[in-house]
Amino acid sequence: MTGIRLHAPEPGWAIDADVVVVGSGVAGLTAALRCTAAGLRTVVVTKANLDDGSTRWAQGGIAAALGEGDTPGQHLDDTLVAGAGLCDEPAVRLLVTEGPDAVRRLMATGADFDRTDDGEIALTREGGHHRRRIAHAGGDATGAEISRALVEAIREQGVRTIEHALVLDLLKDDEGRTAGVTLHVMGEGQHDGVGAVRAPAVVLATGGMGQVFSATTNPSVSTGDGVALALRAGAEVSDLEFVQFHPTVLFLGAGAEGQQPLVSEAVRGEGAHLVDADGVRFMLGQHELAELAPRDIVAKAITRRMQQQGAEHMYLDARHFGAEMWEHRFPTILAACRAHGIDPVTDPIPVAPAAHYASGGVRTDLRGRTTVPGLYACGEVACTGVHGANRLASNSLLEGLVFAERIAADIAEHGPHREGVPHTEPRGTVLALLAPEVRREIQRVMTRDAGVLRSAASLTAAADALEALRQDAEEEGKAAEPGVDAWETTNLLCVARVLTAAALAREETRGCHWREDRPDRDDERWRRHLVVRLTPDRRPVVRTTETADFPPVTPEAPREPQP
């Protein structure tokens, strides 16, 4: 137990529940719906509106063995290859086996996927997949359709929701078990200011931490709040060094910051080519799948070509699609490009890699349980072992779906644990808050020194710069006053420090962790997971697992789910 908490006012109000779900993407809303169906009093807390999470921005689709001739075994093989030796095979096997039925249940909830002329689900390919197994909706608006269906179901079921609420810290009982969360509701609302939701089960589904970098595909709400909360609560995180940079993000200029428009991998899946300024297809000969190689390979190839040619971006050429295909298959991407003065029908699209997805996160078992009793995690905030060193395209929505259902089943099976006396006031050392303007400095440091290209020198520079920012905030009179921007910035610093510590410790290149000074993969020494926790003095401590197997969350708990 770290005994660390954010500087915040004491809760001025409280409500009681059996389960509180933090986040409203596919993982959070699925968990909430399943918990509600099991008769559990469920509260959903979300940072913006219910439909404003990362799920809404997912373009490509959801991967599952739904097509003729495809099998879970083939999906498993592609996932293991993409994960570069660090996937937890039992977790992947569970994902690909339970995935198809989970997608069908999502459809039964109301999600409407694109169909072929004969009524079958339309499937496409993306990087790393040897078969067409990506179900999509609205052409390239899959996430928006899934979000719409789940939000409607949440409202139809009357699930209690608290919108515009930033979660702060975990509450515990006198046994050290989860007892709820504190949160701050922003602006006008039924509850204003800091309050608490008291519940013996907390499900973190807060999404990613892409805002730790200057340029990202993630929405502005993705500030690593769930990972930071879990670390302060004493939970372990794993594999945080594996940040996936999406290869094809619309290039808006060297100084562009914040959320950038994504150009889905499905565009390459339908036959678009990556070319340089001279029109040369530089992925040919680099991988058997060329432009459809796993994302880490494509991102590295683009970055290398940019370095070789002194260019700021490469191009994605899909002019041969024609106007009709662009308008029907990729209307969202077409509109985004045209809004920035680029017409993909007549011009190649300028693209460059940007931070996209955290393959690591809060360490869980196969039921979504973390190392803190009563605290669960699913979706991008979690590290289930599925993604290894590099997530396979479109496995993220499926992971959120499958593990959310498993979490709800576990909570329903074991029932809310209420033996301890809950502490409705947070306990522990109060953490000095960073000024909101420090956020951009954190992003610049991480992009420059811990981005696509890393080395011992760059990562050490990042660690030193981040430590200086932390120390500066703790000097007398320099800490910021409590508020949403200060809390978010402080969370970003926490996850940046842990990510950097893990990246510095892993002295090899593997998956989406690319060390220029250690260019080779080293299975003998580094086919292991890095597990990080915070000490009471807020220092990240990294340990290496003894094998590539994912360790249990508690010594007595097996990794395999119990029948």
Side-chain angles (χ1 to χ4, degrees):
M1 191 178 301
T2 65
I4 307 168
R5 63 184 178 94
L6 291 172
H7 181 202
E10 296 298 325
W13 52 269
I15 58 176
D16 292 307
D18 296 322
V19 185
V20 55
V21 177
V22 188
S24 61
V26 64
L29 296 186
T30 299
L33 285 169
R34 299 294 182 266
C35 285
T36 300
L40 298 164
R41 293 179 301 159
T42 305
V43 174
V44 175
V45 175
T46 187
K47 196 169 175 182
N49 294 317
L50 272 181
D51 62 353
D52 273 348
S54 292
T55 292
R56 182 164 69 93
W57 299 96
Q59 293 175 346
I62 185 166
L66 297 165
E68 184 178 351
D70 198 5
T71 65
Q74 293 175 64
H75 190 182
L76 180 140
D77 290 343
D78 285 347
T79 300
L80 295 181
V81 168
L86 278 188
C87 294
D88 183 66
E89 188 164 336
V92 179
R93 193 171 299 280
L94 182 155
L95 178 84
V96 300
T97 303
E98 297 185 4
D101 283 343
V103 172
R104 294 183 184 102
R105 285 189 289 273
L106 177 63
M107 293 165 61
T109 304
D112 187 14
F113 288 95
D114 294 340
R115 301 276 177 169
T116 62
D117 291 340
D118 57 4
E120 298 296 319
I121 298 173
L123 300 172
T124 190
R125 276 182 69 195
E126 291 185 355
H129 293 273
H130 282 79
R131 282 191 175 271
R132 286 183 170 264
R133 66 167 66 96
I134 317 300
H136 48 84
D140 58 356
T142 311
E145 170 59 18
I146 290 173
S147 180
R148 180 205 61 76
L150 291 174
V151 168
E152 283 189 10
I154 285 285
R155 288 175 174 151
E156 286 173 4
Q157 294 296 317
V159 179
R160 186 167 189 176
T161 61
I162 304 175
E163 297 181 293
H164 303 286
L166 172 65
V167 67
L168 299 175
D169 280 304
L170 193 72
L171 295 170
K172 294 185 178 181
D173 63 20
D174 56 6
E175 296 178 336
R177 289 184 56 90
T178 293
V181 293
T182 56
L183 63 156
H184 173 78
V185 180
M186 299 169 257
E188 297 295 324
Q190 181 180 357
H191 300 294
D192 200 5
V194 175
V197 180
R198 296 181 295 224
V202 172
V203 181
L204 292 179
T206 51
M209 53 187 189
Q211 290 290 326
V212 79
F213 295 97
S214 295
T216 177
T217 63
N218 289 190
S220 61
V221 294
S222 297
T223 50
D225 308 316
V227 171
L229 174 148
L231 283 163
R232 290 193 298 272
E236 293 181 343
V237 303
S238 186
D239 300 351
L240 219 62
E241 68 272 29
F242 297 117
V243 177
Q244 187 176 82
F245 283 74
H246 198 289
T248 53
V249 176
L250 183 62
F251 181 75
L252 300 181
E257 295 183 341
Q259 186 178 9
Q260 314 283 302
L262 177 66
V263 182
S264 170
E265 201 153 293
V267 177
R268 281 175 281 139
E270 296 292 352
H273 302 145
L274 278 167
V275 298
D276 61 19
D278 297 321
V280 176
R281 285 183 64 188
F282 56 88
M283 284 305 299
L284 293 177
Q286 300 223 16
H287 190 276
E288 60 168 339
L289 296 176
E291 282 91 353
L292 286 176
R295 288 178 178 177
D296 63 308
I297 293 171
V298 180
K300 289 173 188 175
I302 291 173
T303 304
R304 281 196 193 101
R305 196 72 164 191
M306 286 162 54
Q307 287 180 323
Q308 292 166 359
Q309 298 187 344
E312 293 181 322
H313 60 82
M314 290 288 111
Y315 292 94
L316 189 63
D317 191 352
R319 291 174 291 180
H320 54 284
F321 285 6
E324 184 177 354
M325 181 173 174
W326 268 111
E327 289 164 3
H328 288 90
R329 181 65 179 87
F330 300 111
T332 307
I333 298 169
L334 178 64
C337 288
R338 285 177 169 170
H340 291 282
I342 299 146
D343 190 344
V345 177
T346 57
D347 303 305
I349 306 167
V351 293
H356 182 58
Y357 191 88
S359 293
V362 184
R363 192 164 77 78
T364 76
D365 66 8
L366 299 186
R367 293 175 180 266
R369 297 175 292 198
T370 74
T371 51
V372 174
L375 179 64
Y376 296 80
C378 57
E380 191 174 353
V381 71
C383 185
T384 62
V386 160
H387 303 309
N390 179 52
R391 173 178 68 91
L392 180 66
S394 288
N395 268 358
S396 51
L397 292 175
L398 190 70
E399 184 201 28
L401 198 60
V402 168
F403 281 86
E405 292 189 339
R406 296 187 68 81
I407 286 171
D410 190 75
I411 297 172
E413 178 184 347
H414 296 290
H417 180 103
R418 297 184 182 276
E419 295 175 13
V421 177
H423 303 308
T424 54
E425 288 116 23
R427 295 182 169 187
T429 305
V430 175
L431 190 62
L433 302 178
L434 273 73
E437 55 267 25
V438 176
R439 176 170 176 159
R440 283 196 171 184
E441 181 59 26
I442 295 170
Q443 293 169 332
R444 281 192 285 268
V445 166
M446 294 300 289
T447 297
R448 182 187 66 220
D449 295 327
V452 179
L453 300 176
R454 301 167 176 175
S455 67
S458 75
L459 291 165
T460 299
D464 291 345
L466 296 171
E467 175 63 13
L469 293 175
R470 184 185 74 82
Q471 291 182 3
D472 190 56
E474 293 188 351
E475 289 184 17
E476 187 174 352
K478 287 199 173 182
E481 290 298 312
V484 172
D485 291 340
W487 289 320
E488 284 186 336
T489 304
T490 304
N491 285 338
L492 280 175
L493 180 69
C494 176
V495 296
R497 294 179 70 220
V498 172
L499 189 163
T500 302
L504 191 53
R506 183 171 290 280
E507 297 178 337
E508 66 160 355
T509 289
R510 181 184 298 270
C512 49
H513 172 65
W514 189 9
R515 286 280 297 259
E516 290 182 287
D517 56 337
R518 303 280 183 171
D520 299 320
R521 174 168 152 176
D522 184 352
D523 279 351
E524 185 176 346
R525 291 182 61 218
W526 290 109
R527 193 163 175 253
R528 308 281 189 273
H529 298 278
L530 298 182
V531 177
V532 189
R533 61 179 178 84
L534 285 188
T535 63
D537 63 353
R538 300 176 294 287
R539 186 169 46 89
V541 174
V542 183
R543 70 176 173 89
T544 308
T545 60
E546 295 181 1
T547 70
D549 295 334
F550 230 52
V553 294
T554 58
E556 68 276 7
R559 174 66 179 162
E560 295 285 355
Q562 294 303 291

